[in-house]
Amino acid sequence: MPFAQSPSAVPVIVDDAKCIAEKGCRVCIDVCPLDVLRLSDLTGKAYMAYDECWYCMPCEADCPTGAVKVNIPYLLK
Ligand code: SF4
Ligand code: SF4
């Protein structure tokens, strides 16, 4: 599994300005069945650590602040 070097290279993007992980939120990390969302040591916010995704959407749907954006590939739409 390739390690994601740049946040823009992965399909799930977290808006750091909206993410409230510093207040203890772990919703997206907890709901992801593939366990690919992590807490960044650098920013303290959630991010996609591995470019592996089922596009099942609970991370985006359940985030209390709307910080998660899942970019579904064109071919899957
Ligand atoms: S669910 Fe939203 S607010 Fe909570 S950690 Fe994930 S991105 Fe941040
Ligand atoms: S869409 Fe599903 S698999 Fe992809 S990051 Fe969100 S919860 Fe995980």
Side-chain angles (χ1 to χ4, degrees), residues 12 32-34 36-37 48 53-59 70:
V12 177
C32 179
L34 291 182
V36 292
L37 302 178
M48 181 171 240
C53 190
W54 282 347
Y55 306 104
C56 53
M57 306 304 282
C59 56
V70 179

Side-chain angles (χ1 to χ4, degrees), residues 14-72:
V14 173
D15 183 340
D16 285 358
K18 290 185 185 169
C19 177
I20 52 166
E22 73 276 7
K23 292 182 179 161
C25 183
R26 299 288 182 272
V27 171
C28 61
I29 295 166
D30 288 345
V31 295
C32 179
L34 291 182
D35 196 25
V36 292
L37 302 178
R38 298 286 154 82
L39 207 60
S40 168
D41 291 336
L42 216 60
T43 63
K45 309 288 187 175
Y47 77 111
M48 181 171 240
Y50 298 98
D51 187 355
E52 186 99 349
C53 190
W54 282 347
Y55 306 104
C56 53
M57 306 304 282
C59 56
E60 180 175 312
D62 294 352
C63 173
T65 64
V68 182
K69 176 77 187 128
V70 179
N71 295 298
I72 300 172

Side-chain angles (χ1 to χ4, degrees), residues 3-15:
F3 182 75
Q5 300 290 343
S6 151
S8 59
V10 295
V12 177
I13 304 297
V14 173
D15 183 340

